[in-house]
Every structure is written in C-alpha cells, then in structure tokens.
Amino acid sequence: MPTLNEVLRSSEALSAADTDWIHLLVEDWQVLSDLSFGDLILWVHTDRGWTAAAHVRPTTGPMVFVEDLVGTICDAERGAWIDEAERAGATVPAPHSQRMGDMLTREEAVPVVRAGAVVAVLTRHINLSRVADPSELERTYTALADAMSRMIAAGEWPSPSAPTGLRRGSPRVGDGVIHLDAEGIVLYVSPNAHSALRRLGHDGPVVGAVLAQIITDQLQEGDQVDESLALVTLGRAAWRAEAATDRATMTLKAIPLTERRRRVGAFVLVRDVTELRRRESEMISKDATIREIHHRVKNNLQTVAALLRLQARRVDDGAGRTALLDAVRRVSTIALVHETLSSGFDETVSFDDVAVRGLRAVVELATSEHTIESAVHGTFGRMRAEDATSVAMIISELVQNAAEHGLAAHGGRIVVTAERGNEGGEDILRVSIEDDGEGLPQGFRIRRAGLGTRIVTSLVHDLRGTIRWDDVEPRGTRVRFSARLRPLSRSADVAR
C-alpha cells in the first residue's frame, strides 16, 4: 500500500503549496471523521485517474470500509460524481444511497480548495444503519461536520495558524465537545465535556453561559494561566490551551467556524488530563531525583579522588605513589560517566563525549617531557550507564598503558577507533586503541600482566566480549576489544 507522500508525488497537478495544504488537512481530519460518524477518503488526480491518497475511520461510530483504500483507483460511477464536485467547487451528495452488503451508506464529495482552486476531493461515507432516531449529540456533531465541510470547500479550513506538536493529551471529539456561538456563549455541551467542567470545579449551568467565564472562574489567584486560554475559550483562534486548577487539569482545542471568511461560532474540544499530567509530574520529579543522585555520586567520587591525590603527595616516589595516582585516574573516569548522566534525562549515555574527554584527561596526566597526540575516530553511540562505566574504564586503562609504557620514551600518537554493529540481534561495540610506540614487551603474556591489564580483561569478560593485543608494523601496539552491549530499553533487556 502506498503512502500519502507517494500518491501526492505521482500527481503532476499538485504544487508544493498544494501538497502542504493537503498534509495540513490530513493532520487534523480525524476531527471531521469523528463528527461525521463516517469514513473519509481523500482523492487526488494522478495519471491513472482519481486515486485514494488517504483514508481515516471514525472513533465515534462504526466504520464503512474494513479494507484501507489508499492507492485504489476510483470506479467510473464514483469518479463522475467526484468530477462534478470538482467542477462545482461545492459539496455534492451522491446521486443515491450506496448499499454495501447489508449496510446502507450515504456519501458526499467535498472539494478541497486552496487559494480558490480545487486541489483534491474528500468523500464522506456514513453508515445509515447506525441509528434510526439521532440524539441531540448526533445532530449537533453532524451539523458541526457539515459546517467544517463547507469551510473545506471554501478554502477556509484547515487553519495554517493552528499549532502542532504540543504536549501529550490533545483533546479529541470523543473526549468532549462544546459548541459556541460567535460571542463565546455555549450552545451545546456533550456529556463528557460537561463532566470535565464539573471536575474542573464548575457546578452551575453550562448551556447559555460564556465558556471563558466558566473556565476563568475556576482559576485561583496565583495560578499559572495559559496566555492563549482566552482566545481558545472564546473560539476566536484555532489554537490550543490548558487550564489547571487544584482539582483538575483540562486541555482545550478551538476550531472556529466561518462563513465567507466571517466567524459565526466555534466548537471547542476538551479533555480531562489530570491523571496524565500527574504521571508526567511524577516522571519529571523522578528524573530530577535520578539526575541529582548522579550529580552527588560524581561529587563524592571527585572528593575521593582529591583525597587520594593528597595522600599520594605525602608518599615518597615509588610503587605506593604510582598505585594511588592510578586509583585517582580510575575514580575520575567513573566520575566522568556520572557527570554525563547527571546532565541527561535517562539512564543512557552518549559515549562519544565521554571517550574524547576521558582520552584527553589520561593523555594530559601521562604527558611529561614528550608530546603525545590523541584522536578518536568513528562513533560509540548511546549505551546504558553500567556499560558506559565499564567501557570507559577499559579505554582509560589501555590508553594509560600506551602512554606510560609505549610512548614514554619519545612521545607519539594514540588513536581510538570505535564501530557499532549488530550480530544475531545483539548490539556489538568494537574498539581499537593503537599507538606508534615501543610495541609489546618481549614475552608479553596476559597471565603475567599488571593490575591494569587484569582489570581490563575482567571488564571485557563481564561485557561478554573479547580482547587481543598485537604488534603494529613498523612499530607500535594495537589493542582490539569487543563488547556486547545491553539494549537501551530496560523492557527489551527483561524480555531477553
């Protein structure tokens, strides 16, 4: 099945502005489908004829089409009716009701107009067997849907000024609808919208009252007020707003209704998002607490490193002082990971910055009379905190070894290269650390290596990886290790 973009690209008649207008329509047409209690299909001209570019079904009633029609070509009978809507530039009902098995449907074609020209045609398909005697809610919704259809045919909807990408909890038709006149007075309120207003704190009549007054009466002095709230509750702009009291939180979305560019009313979608905002607040508080913990751990580790550094100064040159300075470096490496976690919003680390900073720190500490250059190639990507700590320790030890033993006599260059890949569904990190120093000592054996090498092999084993040391021609050492990283999502880790 083709996508909307693919169908639009196949239509030579559409300009870039026309395509943007159609995308704007489809972005918000679920509202029209729900108010219509029917399916909507968007048709555009292609070299094969009228082609279905998009299809949406209602959430407020039974659908008409079980199969998605996107990509299908309109038949001759329906095509003639759509052609008539395009020529007339106005909504055209189907010549007669359509029967689909046991279901009787009513259909109409609505031209989609932009800048005075028809760029597509939208068809509405309504299941007539839904309800024999419509309720006030259904009559109101149908009237609002008809008004929206007339706005589409007049090029007055969708509204380019309507904002997108706001916080979660945008209201839908099923959440609640309030119909306003041109002055913002409530003409109709759906049961769900009525309940939302009650939870917000309003206990008086709603129909006949000014919605803006109802909402503002519930706000207390000192409450933070959304700057767009007044325009939304009066139905004067196609914007969204949020109203919060000590009892509840409500999101609102206004759709002004116009005739010949003159506003004649509006309807406002409302949704009680109290529990949603409460959970978001808890998550924000939890995230802030976790970041504060990482910040304090980082501070404590830096304090430990400072104490070890002070102790090292009191020890005569020799193995004891070297051991203390190695401990300072290791503690500082772990602190660097926690510092990165304290500035993020989850328990994962973008390791590239950690690698660069850690490499520079080790090289600067190791450099004495001879210059050592360093570089990082490739990308480490994101990884879980526990993996980041181990990888940072491995790299720190290997770089320290290269600087202290391979390059101590004459300086040189250390290059760290990283590569992420996938093997058998597992995330694999491969790292190479290469220097142009003295090379491996004669008779090098891991079993006889020092503490740093034993730490490295232990950490690589914990990461279910492998490690190998090799000489490099004409001179130098290359250490390559791999690590099987945990999934970034903890749920995925549990599933394994």
Side-chain angles (χ1 to χ4, degrees):
M1 183 177 67
T3 64
L4 171 61
N5 276 330
E6 289 170 345
V7 176
L8 295 180
R9 281 197 297 267
S10 68
S11 177
E12 298 180 357
L14 295 175
S15 66
D18 295 336
T19 299
D20 290 342
W21 186 262
I22 290 172
H23 276 291
L24 196 61
L25 170 73
V26 171
E27 181 181 315
D28 218 15
W29 72 340
Q30 184 68 58
V31 174
L32 177 58
S33 177
D34 289 342
L35 291 172
S36 301
F37 302 100
D39 290 44
L40 303 180
I41 303 173
L42 184 75
W43 303 90
V44 298
H45 265 305
T46 67
D47 56 2
R48 298 188 299 162
W50 287 107
T51 304
H55 180 189
V56 66
R57 300 175 180 86
T59 61
T60 51
M63 70 184 75
V64 172
F65 299 102
V66 176
E67 297 294 331
D68 202 304
L69 299 184
V70 174
T72 61
I73 308 302
C74 188
D75 58 48
E77 181 180 358
R78 183 172 286 143
W81 159 56
I82 294 175
D83 282 336
E84 184 181 350
E86 182 187 34
R87 286 192 301 269
T91 299
V92 176
H96 49 78
S97 299
Q98 304 290 319
R99 182 167 292 280
M100 301 176 61
D102 296 333
M103 180 172 52
L104 192 65
T105 66
R106 184 179 77 246
E107 301 181 353
E108 64 180 29
V110 181
V112 178
V113 175
R114 188 195 75 83
V118 177
V119 298
V121 174
L122 182 151
T123 55
R124 290 202 291 168
H125 308 262
I126 301 166
N127 186 346
L128 294 178
S129 60
R130 180 172 48 84
V131 176
D133 184 20
S135 64
E136 183 183 6
L137 178 146
E138 291 166 320
R139 291 194 300 272
T140 301
Y141 283 14
T142 300
L144 294 175
D146 291 341
M148 288 188 71
S149 296
R150 292 192 296 271
M151 290 165 61
I152 292 172
E156 299 176 12
W157 195 84
S159 171
S161 65
T164 59
L166 288 184
R167 296 176 68 190
R168 291 190 306 129
S170 180
R172 302 153 297 190
V173 170
D175 297 316
V177 176
I178 302 174
H179 185 196
L180 308 177
D181 68 7
E183 304 302 320
I185 297 173
V186 177
L187 301 176
Y188 173 80
V189 56
S190 72
N192 283 347
H194 197 275
S195 297
L197 291 174
R198 287 283 183 266
R199 285 191 287 272
L200 197 66
H202 178 72
D203 56 3
V206 177
V207 176
V210 177
L211 178 61
Q213 191 66 50
I214 290 176
I215 300 295
T216 55
D217 282 350
Q218 311 315 311
L219 302 177
Q220 304 296 319
E221 186 176 351
D223 285 347
Q224 187 172 359
V225 179
D226 194 323
E227 61 183 13
S228 60
L229 185 61
L231 287 175
V232 170
T233 52
L234 289 169
R236 293 182 177 175
W239 291 353
R240 301 175 193 172
E242 189 164 298
T245 68
D246 57 353
R247 300 181 56 179
T249 303
M250 175 191 293
T251 56
L252 306 95
K253 175 183 177 180
I255 299 181
L257 300 175
T258 60
E259 289 181 6
R260 298 178 182 178
R261 305 289 174 182
R262 184 175 63 88
R263 189 171 59 84
V264 296
F267 66 93
V268 180
L269 305 178
V270 299
R271 179 181 180 184
D272 182 351
V273 293
T274 306
E275 287 304 306
L276 179 62
R277 294 294 182 259
R278 181 185 63 80
R279 289 195 299 271
E280 288 179 348
S281 177
E282 289 177 350
M283 289 300 296
I284 291 172
S285 176
K286 178 183 176 182
D287 289 343
T289 301
I290 291 173
R291 289 198 300 275
E292 177 63 21
I293 289 172
H294 284 302
H295 181 72
R296 294 188 182 188
V297 169
K298 182 261 297 186
N299 288 345
N300 289 339
L301 288 172
Q302 288 178 336
T303 300
V304 171
L307 291 173
L308 290 171
R309 194 176 293 110
L310 286 172
Q311 187 66 43
R313 291 173 183 170
R314 295 175 175 269
V315 176
D316 294 335
D317 288 345
R321 184 171 185 178
T322 300
L324 285 172
L325 291 176
D326 283 344
V328 169
R329 174 177 51 78
R330 289 162 185 152
V331 171
S332 298
T333 299
I334 299 173
L336 178 60
V337 175
H338 283 280
E339 180 182 1
T340 305
L341 287 166
S342 70
S343 62
F345 291 92
D346 57 20
E347 286 295 283
T348 66
V349 177
S350 180
F351 196 81
D352 293 285
D353 181 55
V354 174
V356 172
R357 293 172 61 190
L359 176 61
R360 288 174 180 168
V362 173
V363 168
E364 286 172 5
L365 287 174
T367 299
S368 53
E369 21 181 316
H370 301 291
T371 301
I372 298 177
E373 297 178 352
S374 63
V376 176
H377 296 158
T379 179
F380 289 86
R382 299 196 73 84
M383 60 184 74
R384 291 251 292 268
E386 49 266 56
D387 288 342
T389 301
S390 297
V391 172
M393 288 287 292
I394 294 169
I395 294 174
S396 174
E397 293 295 334
L398 294 175
V399 170
Q400 175 69 18
N401 263 348
E404 184 177 327
H405 301 295
L407 304 176
H410 53 72
R413 180 176 174 82
I414 300 174
V415 178
V416 178
T417 305
E419 179 187 353
R420 286 285 280 269
N422 189 287
E423 279 185 11
E426 287 193 290
D427 194 1
I428 306 295
L429 171 68
R430 291 183 175 83
V431 180
S432 167
I433 299 172
E434 184 174 332
D435 67 72
D436 55 359
E438 299 293 336
L440 292 171
Q442 209 152 24
F444 172 77
R445 295 289 184 274
I446 295 178
R447 293 190 302 272
R448 301 175 186 172
L451 176 61
T453 302
R454 291 200 296 273
I455 289 174
V456 165
T457 54
S458 176
L459 291 172
V460 170
H461 178 75
D462 291 344
L463 291 169
R464 300 178 296 137
T466 60
I467 186 167
R468 177 175 175 174
W469 282 261
D470 294 299
D471 283 316
V472 178
E473 294 297 336
R475 56 183 290 159
T477 305
R478 180 190 298 119
V479 185
R480 288 174 288 192
F481 74 89
S482 65
R484 297 180 181 272
L485 303 180
R486 298 168 177 85
L488 294 181
S489 167
R490 289 190 178 274
S491 58
D493 197 26
V494 172
R496 288 179 54 208

